[in-house]
Amino acid sequence: MCRSPPPTMEGPAEMELQDLEQGCNAGRREGKYQSSDPAGEMVGLACCTEFDIAPEQIPTSLTVEEMRAEAWGVWWFVASCFTYSCVGILMLVRCEELVAVCPYHFWHVEAALLLQQGVLAFLNDAYFFGVSRRVQWADRVSASFLSMCQPFKFISCSMDFAQSSVLSVSFLCGVLAFAKAQQGLKEGSLHKFLFWHTCWHWAFPIGGALWIELAIRTSNELLLGREF
């Protein structure tokens, strides 16, 4: 099966990659020979993608560009970045019904953030693989806010046991998948990282989509019950 090569980064992004490679090499030397040196620890925190894993914990046989090329060839990892945008579209389509179900939640804001999160996740996780600091920062801020939207629904929305279970399970699965992805990177297993980070991309969107449909269906059933 043929794999398309990763897109070539030009201009500032290419310079960032070169700086990152130099920093990672320096970090590996510092981490290997002077692990107690604070300067080496700072180099470690400053490089090697978005996941805050020290350079000595990433396989030294793979450069950042090689990891990026490997990740780009895994289509299901790249495609999973856009699951957020899919839920954002669903939320926009059902927005009026959601406002009727839960008028105190900021549905339009969350839908807009979900739409852009798909693009940010693709750029940060697949296209740049954490090299671009600007995209990395934007992805982190947006993802953190969207993650907090899920437990906030317990406060802003009234829900039954099924809705609460879907929201809780998807949130816990997402957190677990993210932790397992970081563990995979620490263990030097890029494929384990890609698998679990893909699960992280799917956990919240699936839970969100199921919750939307359950909330609207439950509300409609209650309205029909009142009519009869």
Side-chain angles (χ1 to χ4, degrees):
M1 179 178 180
C2 297
R3 289 185 177 180
S4 60
T8 303
M9 293 185 291
E10 299 179 354
E14 185 177 5
M15 294 176 63
E16 284 186 80
L17 178 59
Q18 293 173 355
D19 293 341
L20 185 65
E21 292 285 9
Q22 294 173 1
C24 282
N25 291 333
R28 291 186 181 108
R29 290 193 295 270
E30 293 289 347
K32 182 176 181 180
Y33 300 110
Q34 301 177 14
S35 58
S36 60
D37 183 8
E41 294 180 7
M42 288 302 294
V43 172
L45 290 174
C47 77
C48 284
T49 75
E50 64 179 299
F51 313 110
D52 287 338
I53 304 300
E56 62 270 17
Q57 296 174 311
I58 292 181
T60 55
S61 60
L62 292 177
T63 65
V64 176
E65 180 60 28
E66 287 171 341
M67 287 190 288
R68 174 176 170 266
E70 185 73 16
W72 184 262
V74 182
W75 68 267
W76 41 265
F77 171 72
V78 178
S80 70
C81 298
F82 296 101
T83 53
Y84 303 101
S85 298
C86 292
V87 179
I89 293 172
L90 174 64
M91 192 173 289
L92 281 177
V93 171
R94 312 297 296 269
C95 200
E96 289 186 7
E97 296 168 284
L98 287 170
V99 171
V101 171
C102 181
Y104 301 108
H105 192 74
F106 36 87
W107 295 111
H108 290 89
V109 175
E110 185 175 355
L113 287 174
L114 283 166
L115 288 172
Q116 75 165 15
Q117 181 59 33
V119 178
L120 290 174
F122 168 76
L123 290 174
N124 190 39
D125 295 346
Y127 188 88
F128 291 111
F129 201 71
V131 171
S132 174
R133 300 290 182 234
R134 297 180 184 86
V135 176
Q136 179 188 101
W137 180 85
D139 180 40
R140 282 180 174 179
V141 171
S142 179
S144 298
F145 184 82
L146 285 170
S147 297
M148 295 311 299
C149 283
Q150 309 314 311
F152 181 75
K153 289 186 177 75
F154 285 107
I155 302 173
S156 60
C157 302
S158 176
M159 58 185 81
D160 58 19
F161 177 77
Q163 296 167 40
S164 301
S165 299
V166 166
L167 211 58
S168 300
V169 170
S170 64
F171 183 81
L172 292 175
C173 287
V175 172
L176 175 63
F178 186 82
K180 294 286 286 185
Q182 286 201 321
Q183 181 184 357
L185 210 56
K186 288 180 180 180
E187 293 173 354
S189 175
L190 181 61
H191 288 92
K192 182 177 180 179
F193 162 76
L194 294 176
F195 172 78
W196 285 108
H197 204 73
T198 299
C199 293
W200 154 258
H201 284 165
W202 278 98
F204 286 1
I206 287 179
L210 288 175
W211 188 92
I212 288 171
E213 296 303 320
L214 277 173
I216 293 174
R217 189 186 69 177
T218 302
S219 177
N220 290 338
E221 288 175 353
L222 289 174
L223 288 175
L224 287 174
R226 291 173 184 172
E227 290 179 359
F228 293 99

